[in-house]
Amino acid sequence: MQRQSYRFPHDKGSSAPLRQDSDTSDVQASFVMKCGGSTLAALPEAFFADLAQLQADGVRPVIVHGGGPAISDNLEKLGIPTEFVHGLRRTTEEVLDVVEMVLAGTINKLIVRRIQSAGGKALGLSGSDGSLIQAEPVANAAEVGLVGDVVRVEADIVAGVLSMGYMPVIAPLGVDAQGQRYNINADTAAGAVASFVGARRMIVVTDVPGILKTVDGVKAALPSVTFAEIEDMIASGEIYGGMIPKVRAAMKCLHGNVEEVVIVDGSEERVLSRLLSGEAIGTTIRR
């Protein structure tokens, strides 16, 4: 299996493609799925059964997950203050200890167990393992602390796990060459992983049916959306809060190898298999 070298275009708004210095790995992800920790906890067993069946049918998913509410709950229990700056958790070493414990421990292993209970095969990893996700401080690190931008993903590790027949389940932590840990926004991490592993599609599983727009006083999910429409909706306030990093990550990874990002409601029956069979579900963002 050949080793790959990539550079993720982390400058905001960059349209530069990823540079790939060698051939892609023999085993390629079918899609990358991003799901928040709270969304995963609420998903029915049928969702994981659908995921396990897809794997049995030869589909190769890669999962990147979050866990923000669980992190906040644990910080509160420990009496550690939580603060957000422009949607990013201000992360000290003390906060990072809890972030790592929750993401790489509790949430990651919960997802692995749920997949395996449904008949699938999964292997949990954090971005620190094998320097899987390599990071550097974000531009506003003075404000947010130990929050990272992704500069490289070791795609051969993901390909190796897939080649063994397992579904990689990745916690969004990063590490630099000096071993410094970083907290990475899960949407940003998923977008980077999707680009670096060469997946053509990223699926963002949420608790809403897609990007909503108000038409004649009624909110409905848009079947598709352009970059320009996203920017207009952010400016108007129709896209707000936690949906902003989701669409930003989608736009960013679409500059790489990913052809489309689909935002779907994970509670819909067999949402993954229906989507992969070509059914129009959720909101699709394309180049």
Side-chain angles (χ1 to χ4, degrees), residues 42 59 61-62 75 110 153 199:
V59 176
V62 176
L75 288 170
L110 171 62
V153 174

Side-chain angles (χ1 to χ4, degrees), residues 83 88-97 99-100 103 135-149 172-176 179-185:
E83 180 185 353
L88 297 174
R89 187 186 303 274
R90 189 172 184 280
T91 306
T92 62
E93 284 284 0
E94 185 180 33
V95 169
L96 193 48
D97 284 341
V99 169
E100 186 173 52
L103 290 181
E136 66 184 10
V138 293
N140 62 332
E143 292 181 277
V144 298
L146 297 169
V147 176
D149 268 336
L173 296 160
V175 66
D176 65 16
Q180 174 61 57
R181 302 169 298 169
Y182 292 94
N183 181 16
I184 299 176
N185 176 276

Side-chain angles (χ1 to χ4, degrees), residues 8-155:
F8 192 68
H10 54 278
D11 51 310
K12 304 297 183 284
S14 169
S15 59
L18 294 173
R19 190 181 75 242
Q20 184 173 308
D21 298 331
S22 64
D23 293 337
T24 55
S25 299
D26 294 335
V27 180
Q28 194 169 37
S30 300
F31 65 87
V32 171
M33 184 184 91
K34 185 270 168 179
C35 195
S38 57
T39 300
L40 278 162
L43 288 174
E45 293 302 322
F47 177 88
F48 292 94
D50 188 29
L51 187 60
Q53 184 59 56
L54 286 171
Q55 185 185 41
D57 292 340
V59 176
R60 295 184 295 272
V62 176
I63 298 173
V64 179
H65 65 85
I71 293 169
S72 296
D73 289 346
N74 278 271
L75 288 170
E76 184 178 359
K77 289 175 184 175
L78 294 168
I80 301 172
T82 262
E83 180 185 353
F84 287 89
V85 180
H86 306 305
L88 297 174
R89 187 186 303 274
R90 189 172 184 280
T91 306
T92 62
E93 284 284 0
E94 185 180 33
V95 169
L96 193 48
D97 284 341
V98 177
V99 169
E100 186 173 52
M101 174 184 71
V102 173
L103 290 181
T106 308
I107 300 294
N108 189 269
K109 303 318 169 193
L110 171 62
I111 297 167
V112 168
R113 288 195 303 272
R114 292 197 74 183
I115 292 169
Q116 292 177 164
S117 295
K121 295 176 67 179
L123 194 152
L125 299 163
S126 85
S128 297
D129 296 325
S131 296
L132 173 59
I133 297 177
Q134 296 164 31
E136 66 184 10
V138 293
N140 62 332
E143 292 181 277
V144 298
L146 297 169
V147 176
D149 268 336
V150 180
V151 296
R152 177 182 167 90
V153 174
E154 293 289 352

